[in-house]
Amino acid sequence: MKKFLIVGLGNIGSEYVNTRHNIGFKVLNHYAKKENIDFQTAKLGELAQHKIKGRTLFLLKPNTYMNLSGKAIKYWMEKENIPKENLLVITDDLNLSFGTIRIKGKGTDGGHNGLKNTQLILNSSEYPRFRFGISDEFKKGQQVNYVLGEWSDEEKSKLSERFELSHEIINSFVLAGLNETMNLFNGK
């Protein structure tokens, strides 16, 4: 049976729930709700399991805070013997306009501390990532306030459609593979 680790990056705590930086958690919450599965408290995070066509998905929301995400990712990859090519890390991206999707099999951290720590802990930049654009509509020196800020009303009105698309992306990654998923969804 093939196993996959789908990780949504975010920060724990009520003050972070609806922030742009927590889009990874939001994507996984939507996926779990749609598939009628629940998250359970587990080592280094909240974990949900789902089976689809002979494959097992482990959905992980690390509770290590964004800057230490790699610790939880590595633990669950080793515990469940999941190879890097079956890992998908979902994160926010300031360099993409709001809602734009970019899926890649490798790359830099792009200045994102969650990806930076994951790359450090895994000792590799070669793992699939799903970047969700949050745009860069902030004044100089306001980046932290922006990413830890809540969505605008206009953004909120468009999120549900983006969450539906994210659900399709996760299933495509698991069932059709990275290359097919990139071809189908990049730039959407």
Side-chain angles (χ1 to χ4, degrees):
M1 175 166 294
K2 274 186 133 181
K3 293 180 180 179
F4 294 82
L5 181 62
I6 313 298
V7 183
L9 297 187
N11 285 311
I12 57 170
S14 59
E15 67 271 31
Y16 298 112
V17 170
N18 292 310
T19 64
R20 292 178 181 90
H21 218 26
N22 268 34
I23 194 65
F25 282 11
K26 288 289 196 186
V27 166
L28 290 190
N29 287 344
H30 176 82
Y31 188 94
K33 185 176 181 183
K34 193 163 174 86
E35 297 294 343
N36 201 26
I37 55 176
D38 294 316
F39 283 93
Q40 307 295 322
T41 300
K43 184 164 181 164
L44 300 174
E46 297 284 317
L47 193 72
Q49 281 189 52
H50 180 55
K51 292 190 186 313
I52 179 171
K53 296 186 180 179
R55 292 156 174 90
T56 300
L57 284 71
F58 294 89
L59 308 178
L60 174 65
K61 297 187 297 184
N63 66 6
T64 54
Y65 288 99
M66 185 68 79
N67 297 357
L68 300 174
S69 300
K71 182 178 180 181
I73 292 170
K74 183 174 184 183
Y75 173 82
W76 285 101
M77 284 176 70
E78 289 177 351
K79 180 172 178 16
E80 295 299 334
N81 197 25
I82 297 171
K84 274 190 288 199
E85 61 269 16
N86 289 3
L87 166 68
L88 182 64
V89 177
I90 305 166
T91 184
D92 60 296
D93 192 325
L94 285 166
N95 300 311
L96 299 173
S97 58
F98 170 79
T100 300
I101 303 297
R102 180 156 308 138
I103 301 148
K104 296 173 80 175
K106 61 183 179 180
T108 67
D109 57 57
H112 191 287
N113 289 331
L115 294 178
K116 194 176 291 183
N117 184 256
T118 300
Q119 188 169 313
L120 177 72
I121 300 290
L122 297 182
N123 196 30
S124 175
S125 61
E126 295 191 18
Y127 60 89
R129 70 274 319 268
F130 163 1
R131 294 179 182 233
F132 187 108
I134 63 168
S135 84
D136 60 357
E137 300 292 317
F138 56 88
K139 292 184 171 93
K140 189 173 177 157
Q142 293 299 308
Q143 180 174 329
V144 171
N145 292 337
Y146 180 77
V147 298
L148 295 179
E150 295 199 2
W151 302 100
S152 71
D153 289 340
E154 183 183 348
E155 290 168 333
K156 283 181 197 170
S157 72
K158 297 175 181 172
L159 280 174
S160 62
E161 182 270 331
R162 296 280 92 189
F163 290 149
E164 287 297 319
L165 186 65
S166 298
H167 180 268
E168 291 176 39
I169 289 167
I170 292 168
N171 284 343
S172 175
F173 175 74
V174 170
L175 298 173
L178 176 65
N179 288 334
E180 182 72 17
T181 303
M182 289 191 301
N183 289 337
L184 283 172
F185 296 101
N186 269 343
K188 287 199 168 181

Coordinates of all heavy atoms in Angstrom, one line a residue, residues 5 7-10 60 62 64-75 77 84 87-91 107-109 112-129:
L5 N 2.3 11.6 2.8 CA 2.2 12.6 3.9 C 1.8 13.9 3.3 O 2.6 14.5 2.5 CB 3.5 12.6 4.7 CG 3.5 13.6 5.9 CD1 2.5 13.2 7.0 CD2 4.9 13.6 6.5
V7 N 1.1 17.7 4.3 CA 1.4 18.6 5.4 C 0.9 20.0 5.1 O 1.3 20.6 4.1 CB 2.9 18.6 5.7 CG1 3.1 19.5 7.0 CG2 3.4 17.2 6.0
G8 N 0.0 20.5 5.9 CA -0.4 21.9 5.8 C 0.4 22.7 6.9 O 0.3 22.4 8.0
L9 N 1.1 23.7 6.4 CA 1.9 24.5 7.4 C 1.0 25.6 7.9 O 0.1 26.2 7.3 CB 3.1 25.1 6.7 CG 4.1 24.1 6.1 CD1 5.4 24.9 5.7 CD2 4.5 23.1 7.2
G10 N 1.3 25.9 9.2 CA 0.5 27.0 9.9 C 1.0 27.1 11.3 O 2.0 26.5 11.7
L60 N -1.3 16.0 8.0 CA -0.6 16.5 9.2 C -0.6 18.0 9.3 O -0.3 18.7 8.3 CB 0.9 16.1 9.2 CG 1.8 16.6 10.3 CD1 1.4 16.1 11.7 CD2 3.3 16.2 10.0
P62 N 1.3 20.3 11.7 CA 2.3 20.4 12.8 C 1.9 21.3 13.9 O 1.4 22.4 13.6 CB 3.6 20.8 12.1 CG 3.4 20.5 10.7 CD 1.9 20.7 10.4
T64 N 4.3 22.5 15.9 CA 5.6 22.9 16.3 C 5.8 24.4 16.0 O 6.9 24.9 16.2 CB 6.7 22.2 15.5 OG1 6.3 22.3 14.1 CG2 6.7 20.7 15.9
Y65 N 4.8 25.1 15.5 CA 4.8 26.4 14.9 C 5.6 26.4 13.6 O 6.4 25.5 13.4 CB 5.4 27.5 15.9 CG 4.5 27.8 17.1 CD1 4.7 27.2 18.3 CD2 3.4 28.7 16.9 CE1 3.8 27.5 19.3 CE2 2.6 29.0 17.9 CZ 2.7 28.4 19.1 OH 1.9 28.6 20.1
M66 N 5.3 27.3 12.8 CA 5.8 27.4 11.4 C 7.3 27.2 11.3 O 7.8 26.4 10.5 CB 5.4 28.8 10.8 CG 5.8 28.9 9.4 SD 4.8 27.8 8.3 CE 3.2 28.8 8.3
N67 N 8.1 27.9 12.1 CA 9.5 27.9 12.0 C 10.2 26.6 12.3 O 11.4 26.5 12.1 CB 10.1 29.0 12.8 CG 9.6 30.4 12.3 OD1 8.9 30.5 11.4 ND2 10.1 31.4 13.0
L68 N 9.5 25.7 12.9 CA 10.0 24.4 13.3 C 9.3 23.2 12.6 O 9.3 22.1 13.1 CB 10.1 24.2 14.8 CG 10.9 25.2 15.6 CD1 10.7 25.1 17.1 CD2 12.4 25.1 15.2
S69 N 8.6 23.5 11.5 CA 7.8 22.5 10.8 C 8.5 21.2 10.4 O 7.9 20.1 10.4 CB 7.1 23.1 9.6 OG 6.3 24.2 9.9
G70 N 9.8 21.4 10.1 CA 10.5 20.2 9.6 C 10.6 19.1 10.6 O 10.7 17.9 10.2
K71 N 10.6 19.4 11.9 CA 10.7 18.3 12.9 C 9.6 17.4 12.8 O 9.7 16.2 12.9 CB 10.8 19.0 14.3 CG 10.9 18.1 15.5 CD 11.1 18.8 16.8 CE 11.2 17.9 17.9 NZ 11.3 18.6 19.2
A72 N 8.3 17.9 12.7 CA 7.1 17.1 12.7 C 7.1 16.3 11.3 O 6.8 15.1 11.3 CB 5.9 18.0 12.8
I73 N 7.5 17.0 10.3 CA 7.5 16.3 9.0 C 8.4 15.1 8.9 O 8.0 14.0 8.5 CB 7.9 17.3 7.9 CG1 6.7 18.4 7.7 CG2 8.1 16.6 6.5 CD1 7.1 19.6 6.8
K74 N 9.6 15.3 9.4 CA 10.6 14.3 9.4 C 10.1 13.1 10.3 O 10.3 11.9 10.0 CB 12.0 14.8 9.9 CG 13.0 13.7 9.8 CD 14.4 14.2 10.1 CE 15.4 13.1 10.0 NZ 16.8 13.5 10.3
Y75 N 9.6 13.4 11.5 CA 9.1 12.4 12.4 C 8.1 11.5 11.7 O 8.2 10.3 11.8 CB 8.5 13.0 13.7 CG 7.9 12.0 14.6 CD1 8.7 11.2 15.4 CD2 6.5 11.7 14.5 CE1 8.1 10.2 16.2 CE2 5.9 10.7 15.3 CZ 6.7 10.0 16.1 OH 6.2 9.0 16.9
M77 N 7.4 11.2 8.5 CA 8.0 10.5 7.3 C 8.7 9.2 7.7 O 8.5 8.1 7.1 CB 8.9 11.4 6.5 CG 8.3 12.4 5.7 SD 9.5 13.5 4.9 CE 10.2 12.4 3.7
K84 N 10.3 10.9 0.2 CA 10.2 12.3 0.0 C 9.3 12.6 -1.2 O 8.5 13.6 -1.2 CB 11.5 13.0 -0.3 CG 12.3 13.4 0.9 CD 13.5 14.2 0.6 CE 14.5 13.4 0.0 NZ 15.9 13.9 0.0
L87 N 5.7 13.1 -0.2 CA 5.4 14.2 0.7 C 4.9 15.4 -0.1 O 5.4 15.7 -1.2 CB 6.7 14.6 1.4 CG 6.7 15.9 2.2 CD1 5.8 15.9 3.4 CD2 8.2 16.2 2.6
L88 N 3.8 16.0 0.4 CA 3.4 17.3 -0.2 C 3.2 18.3 0.9 O 2.4 18.1 1.8 CB 2.0 17.1 -0.9 CG 1.5 18.3 -1.7 CD1 2.4 18.7 -2.8 CD2 0.1 18.0 -2.2
V89 N 4.0 19.4 0.8 CA 3.9 20.4 1.8 C 3.1 21.6 1.3 O 3.5 22.2 0.2 CB 5.3 20.9 2.2 CG1 5.3 22.0 3.2 CG2 6.1 19.7 2.8
I90 N 2.1 22.0 2.0 CA 1.2 23.1 1.5 C 1.5 24.3 2.3 O 1.4 24.3 3.6 CB -0.3 22.7 1.7 CG1 -0.6 21.3 1.0 CG2 -1.2 23.8 1.2 CD1 -1.9 20.7 1.4
T91 N 1.8 25.4 1.6 CA 2.2 26.6 2.3 C 1.7 27.9 1.6 O 1.3 27.8 0.4 CB 3.7 26.7 2.4 OG1 4.1 27.8 3.2 CG2 4.4 26.7 1.1
G107 N 12.8 23.0 -5.0 CA 12.9 24.4 -5.2 C 13.5 25.0 -3.9 O 13.9 24.3 -3.0
T108 N 13.6 26.3 -3.9 CA 14.2 27.0 -2.8 C 13.1 27.2 -1.7 O 11.9 27.0 -2.0 CB 14.7 28.4 -3.2 OG1 13.6 29.2 -3.5 CG2 15.7 28.3 -4.3
D109 N 13.5 27.8 -0.6 CA 12.5 28.1 0.4 C 11.7 29.4 0.1 O 10.7 29.7 0.8 CB 13.1 28.1 1.8 CG 14.2 29.1 1.9 OD1 14.0 30.3 1.7 OD2 15.4 28.7 2.3
H112 N 10.5 31.5 3.0 CA 9.5 31.0 3.9 C 10.1 30.2 5.0 O 10.8 29.2 4.7 CB 8.5 30.2 3.1 CG 7.2 29.9 3.8 ND1 7.2 28.9 4.8 CD2 6.0 30.3 3.7 CE1 6.0 28.9 5.3 NE2 5.2 29.7 4.6
N113 N 9.9 30.6 6.2 CA 10.6 30.0 7.3 C 10.2 28.5 7.5 O 11.0 27.7 8.0 CB 10.4 30.7 8.6 CG 11.2 32.0 8.6 OD1 12.2 32.1 8.0 ND2 10.7 33.0 9.3
G114 N 8.9 28.2 7.2 CA 8.5 26.8 7.3 C 9.2 25.9 6.3 O 9.6 24.8 6.7
L115 N 9.3 26.4 5.1 CA 10.1 25.6 4.1 C 11.6 25.6 4.4 O 12.2 24.6 4.2 CB 9.8 26.2 2.7 CG 8.4 26.1 2.2 CD1 8.3 26.8 0.8 CD2 7.9 24.6 2.1
K116 N 12.1 26.7 4.9 CA 13.5 26.8 5.3 C 13.8 25.7 6.3 O 14.8 25.0 6.2 CB 13.8 28.2 5.8 CG 15.3 28.5 5.9 CD 15.5 29.9 6.4 CE 15.0 30.9 5.3 NZ 15.2 32.3 5.7
N117 N 13.0 25.6 7.3 CA 13.3 24.6 8.4 C 13.1 23.2 7.9 O 13.9 22.3 8.2 CB 12.3 24.8 9.6 CG 12.6 23.9 10.7 OD1 11.9 22.9 11.0 ND2 13.8 24.1 11.4
T118 N 12.1 23.0 7.0 CA 11.9 21.6 6.4 C 13.1 21.2 5.6 O 13.6 20.1 5.7 CB 10.6 21.6 5.5 OG1 9.5 22.0 6.4 CG2 10.3 20.3 4.9
Q119 N 13.6 22.1 4.8 CA 14.8 21.9 4.0 C 16.0 21.5 4.8 O 16.7 20.6 4.5 CB 15.0 23.1 3.1 CG 16.1 22.9 2.1 CD 16.1 24.1 1.1 OE1 15.1 24.5 0.6 NE2 17.3 24.6 0.8
L120 N 16.1 22.3 5.9 CA 17.2 22.0 6.8 C 17.1 20.7 7.5 O 18.1 19.9 7.5 CB 17.2 23.1 7.9 CG 18.3 23.0 9.0 CD1 19.7 23.3 8.5 CD2 18.0 23.9 10.2
I121 N 16.0 20.3 8.0 CA 15.8 19.1 8.7 C 15.8 17.9 7.8 O 16.4 16.8 8.1 CB 14.4 19.1 9.5 CG1 14.4 20.2 10.5 CG2 14.1 17.7 10.1 CD1 15.3 20.0 11.7
L122 N 15.3 18.0 6.6 CA 15.3 16.9 5.6 C 16.6 16.8 4.8 O 16.9 15.9 4.1 CB 14.1 17.0 4.6 CG 12.7 16.9 5.1 CD1 11.7 17.0 4.0 CD2 12.5 15.6 6.0
N123 N 17.4 17.9 5.0 CA 18.7 18.0 4.3 C 18.5 17.9 2.8 O 19.3 17.2 2.1 CB 19.7 17.0 4.8 CG 21.1 17.3 4.4 OD1 21.5 18.5 4.2 ND2 21.9 16.3 4.2
S124 N 17.4 18.5 2.3 CA 17.1 18.4 0.9 C 16.1 19.5 0.5 O 15.2 19.9 1.3 CB 16.5 17.0 0.6 OG 16.1 17.0 -0.8
S125 N 16.2 20.0 -0.7 CA 15.2 20.9 -1.2 C 14.3 20.2 -2.3 O 13.5 20.8 -2.9 CB 15.8 22.1 -1.8 OG 16.7 21.7 -2.9
E126 N 14.5 18.9 -2.4 CA 13.8 18.1 -3.4 C 12.7 17.3 -2.7 O 12.8 16.1 -2.4 CB 14.8 17.1 -4.1 CG 15.8 17.9 -4.9 CD 16.7 17.0 -5.8 OE1 16.2 15.9 -6.1 OE2 17.7 17.5 -6.3
Y127 N 11.6 18.0 -2.5 CA 10.4 17.4 -2.0 C 9.2 18.2 -2.6 O 9.4 19.4 -2.8 CB 10.3 17.3 -0.5 CG 10.4 18.7 0.1 CD1 9.2 19.4 0.4 CD2 11.6 19.3 0.5 CE1 9.3 20.7 1.0 CE2 11.7 20.5 1.1 CZ 10.6 21.2 1.3 OH 10.6 22.5 1.8
P128 N 8.1 17.6 -3.0 CA 7.0 18.3 -3.5 C 6.4 19.4 -2.6 O 6.2 19.1 -1.4 CB 6.0 17.2 -3.9 CG 6.8 16.0 -4.0 CD 7.9 16.2 -3.0
R129 N 6.1 20.5 -3.2 CA 5.4 21.6 -2.4 C 4.3 22.2 -3.2 O 4.3 22.2 -4.4 CB 6.4 22.6 -1.9 CG 7.0 23.6 -2.8 CD 8.3 23.1 -3.5 NE 9.3 22.4 -2.8 CZ 10.3 22.9 -2.2 NH1 10.5 24.2 -2.1 NH2 11.2 22.1 -1.6

